[in-house]
Amino acid sequence: MKQLYFPEPFRIKSVEPLKMLTREEREEKIAAANYNVFALASQDVYIDLLTDSGTGAMSSAQWAGVMVGDESYAGADCYYKVQSSAKEIFGLPYIQLVHQGRAAEKVLLPVLLAGKKYAISNMHFDTTRAHVELAGARAIDCVVPQALDTTAYYDFKGNMDCARLEQYIAELGAENIGVIIMTITNNSAGGQPVSVENIRKTRAIAHKHGIKFMIDAARYAENAYFVKLREPEFKESSIADIVKATFEDADCFTMSSKKDAIVNMGGLIGCRDKALFELVKQRTISFEGFITYGGMSGRDIEALAQGLREGIDENYLRYRIGQMQYLAGRLDEAGIPYQSPVGGHAVFVDAKKLLPHIPYYEFPAQALAIELYREAGIRACDIGSYMLGNDPDTGKQLEADFEFTRLAIPRRVYTQSHLDVIADALINIKERASKIKGFCIVEEPPILRHFTAKLRPLD
Ligand code: F0G
């Protein structure tokens, strides 16, 4: 019997029709959007791979939860339910709701970085980097060198380079480093997993030097699934036990609930220390809302309490990671380069290799994203020099380690046929790759520019 990669552990109850534009219409739409995919109307997109964040399909149990969500300002029933789910899953004693991941960063990072100069991470996601910089510190990335070679197999390309981390601490001074952040999975390196062994080692280094250890937990469940597949110690463990091992002795975590907790909006902060939690609560009240709702509606909190549990279901995770493996398999057959082995939430196509004639300052990954829209109405995004932006000190364009066009797959949303459309579009583009041109920026804001910048195709 043919092996099924990812049998869906669900059936479809409700569908959302999609519009299909002609190539001419798509050309007009992308020009009107100034070649910025964030400026496209979603109704003009056929397959939306911009992000896996907040775009998942909720289950019938979650939708049922929406109807019973308690909208009380203080002490709502759903608050106690989410506290119970989160404490049980993560094992940290203090949990704060916020409205999304960057809100968690805004609340927590200035506390950790007060009077400090640096944050070090396996890789900062762009909003995390922005909040480190807004707190007056510098964000340093310290991923293992294996991550930089997109063709070489390595089980845990998301890992922290612990030897380099020790060097940074010696060079910069432990007293100047506010926090060491482990991002799981490592989104910017390609949704790549981090081993529990590496998490333990990094945490031990942080604590040896009296530095706080934080987890950016957006994709904690996908990370745990890879650990089960690839880390011998956890071969027989349940996903729930691997998640517990992951968070053991972490001082705190931030989490965007919009990913692995499969809700459209939400975030969490976890703290081990009561004093830290008191500061978090005060800042939450100022920026997000009263502590029992933290910027969320009761109905969304109810869906989150349920989604946290669904996100760690092993059958669901097998299907979820299986979708990435299927798409990656089709790209392998066609010789299309991507960050390999494929990660947890997306296929990261290596635009540097597919479009080697476009230099980083003409944004090859952005050029490929635009081409995917032209070809098949697929919306992907650049995770490369275009997203990285300019050096905050010199204002010069930075060169990213990778030029990825990210095909982020929303959870429980697209079918295998959709995945085939994506693969076929990339195969067509590969055939005319040498004719594809780069872009220049004609207008950009100073921070997180990729969301709103305007671009122009080069001749
Ligand atoms: N940390 C990581 C690792 C993320 O991937 C994200 C968001 C955040 C923090 C911020 O969370 O969006 O809820 O404020 N990543 C999305 C993405 C936007 O498309 O990768 P948020």
Side-chain angles (χ1 to χ4, degrees), residues 38 49-54 99-105 123-128 131 183-188 216-219 254-259 265-267 345 348 381 383 406 408 451:
F38 290 94
L49 309 181
L50 192 55
T51 180
D52 63 316
S53 179
H99 83 276
Q100 64 182 98
R102 70 200 72 181
E105 292 160 2
M123 274 186 124
H124 295 81
F125 181 65
D126 57 346
T127 60
T128 323
H131 279 292
T183 308
I184 58 167
T185 58
N186 188 330
N187 184 357
S188 311
D216 175 348
R219 299 179 181 87
T254 55
M255 190 179 109
S256 168
S257 310
K258 301 169 69 173
K259 285 89 173 169
M265 192 50 73
H345 66 290
F348 287 65
C381 73
I383 305 270
R406 186 180 74 166
F451 290 126

Side-chain angles (χ1 to χ4, degrees), residues 188-251:
S188 311
Q192 292 293 314
V194 177
S195 70
V196 169
E197 185 192 11
N198 187 257
I199 293 170
R200 287 174 178 154
K201 213 164 150 187
T202 304
R203 188 192 64 212
I205 294 171
H207 288 170
K208 184 174 76 184
H209 294 282
I211 304 168
K212 288 260 189 289
F213 177 69
M214 173 184 131
I215 296 181
D216 175 348
R219 299 179 181 87
Y220 67 99
E222 289 166 6
N223 199 78
Y225 187 72
F226 282 113
V227 165
K228 185 174 170 75
L229 293 185
R230 298 183 187 167
E231 201 168 350
E233 179 186 341
F234 297 98
K235 218 167 87 188
E236 306 298 332
S237 305
S238 67
I239 299 296
D241 284 345
I242 298 171
V243 171
K244 286 231 174 62
T246 302
F247 286 81
E248 199 182 354
D249 285 338
D251 295 300

Side-chain angles (χ1 to χ4, degrees), residues 141-339:
D141 289 340
C142 189
V143 72
V144 286
Q146 288 90 335
L148 304 182
D149 181 352
T150 58
T151 55
Y153 184 91
Y154 189 62
D155 277 340
F156 292 103
K157 279 187 169 179
N159 277 0
M160 182 81 79
D161 181 342
C162 288
R164 186 79 189 96
L165 176 64
E166 289 271 27
Q167 278 171 10
Y168 273 130
I169 296 171
E171 283 162 25
L172 305 172
E175 68 286 1
N176 294 318
I177 301 165
V179 60
I180 292 174
I181 304 170
M182 190 64 102
T183 308
I184 58 167
T185 58
N186 188 330
N187 184 357
S188 311
Q192 292 293 314
V194 177
S195 70
V196 169
E197 185 192 11
N198 187 257
I199 293 170
R200 287 174 178 154
K201 213 164 150 187
T202 304
R203 188 192 64 212
I205 294 171
H207 288 170
K208 184 174 76 184
H209 294 282
I211 304 168
K212 288 260 189 289
F213 177 69
M214 173 184 131
I215 296 181
D216 175 348
R219 299 179 181 87
Y220 67 99
E222 289 166 6
N223 199 78
Y225 187 72
F226 282 113
V227 165
K228 185 174 170 75
L229 293 185
R230 298 183 187 167
E231 201 168 350
E233 179 186 341
F234 297 98
K235 218 167 87 188
E236 306 298 332
S237 305
S238 67
I239 299 296
D241 284 345
I242 298 171
V243 171
K244 286 231 174 62
T246 302
F247 286 81
E248 199 182 354
D249 285 338
D251 295 300
C252 48
F253 71 84
T254 55
M255 190 179 109
S256 168
S257 310
K258 301 169 69 173
K259 285 89 173 169
D260 278 356
I262 329 178
V263 286
N264 303 119
M265 192 50 73
L268 290 177
I269 299 172
C271 299
R272 200 167 291 283
D273 175 53
K274 188 152 194 305
L276 179 62
F277 184 57
E278 288 304 321
L279 294 171
V280 162
K281 281 199 293 192
Q282 291 316 314
R283 290 178 60 83
T284 300
I285 293 172
S286 305
F287 294 128
E288 291 288 282
F290 184 62
I291 50 172
T292 62
Y293 72 92
M296 290 181 71
S297 308
R299 61 184 82 98
D300 289 336
I301 300 173
E302 188 80 30
L304 171 58
Q306 171 68 18
L308 280 167
R309 296 186 194 281
E310 292 182 13
I312 55 173
D313 178 84
E314 198 175 322
N315 288 329
Y316 153 72
L317 286 167
R318 181 182 306 112
Y319 143 79
R320 167 79 182 145
I321 304 300
Q323 281 211 318
M324 308 308 139
Q325 290 167 343
Y326 175 79
L327 181 52
R330 289 237 28 221
L331 300 192
D332 284 338
E333 285 165 15
I336 293 169
Y338 63 90
Q339 174 64 296

Side-chain angles (χ1 to χ4, degrees), residues 88-99:
E88 184 189 319
I89 291 170
F90 303 111
L92 275 79
Y94 303 108
I95 299 288
Q96 179 58 58
L97 286 161
V98 289
H99 83 276

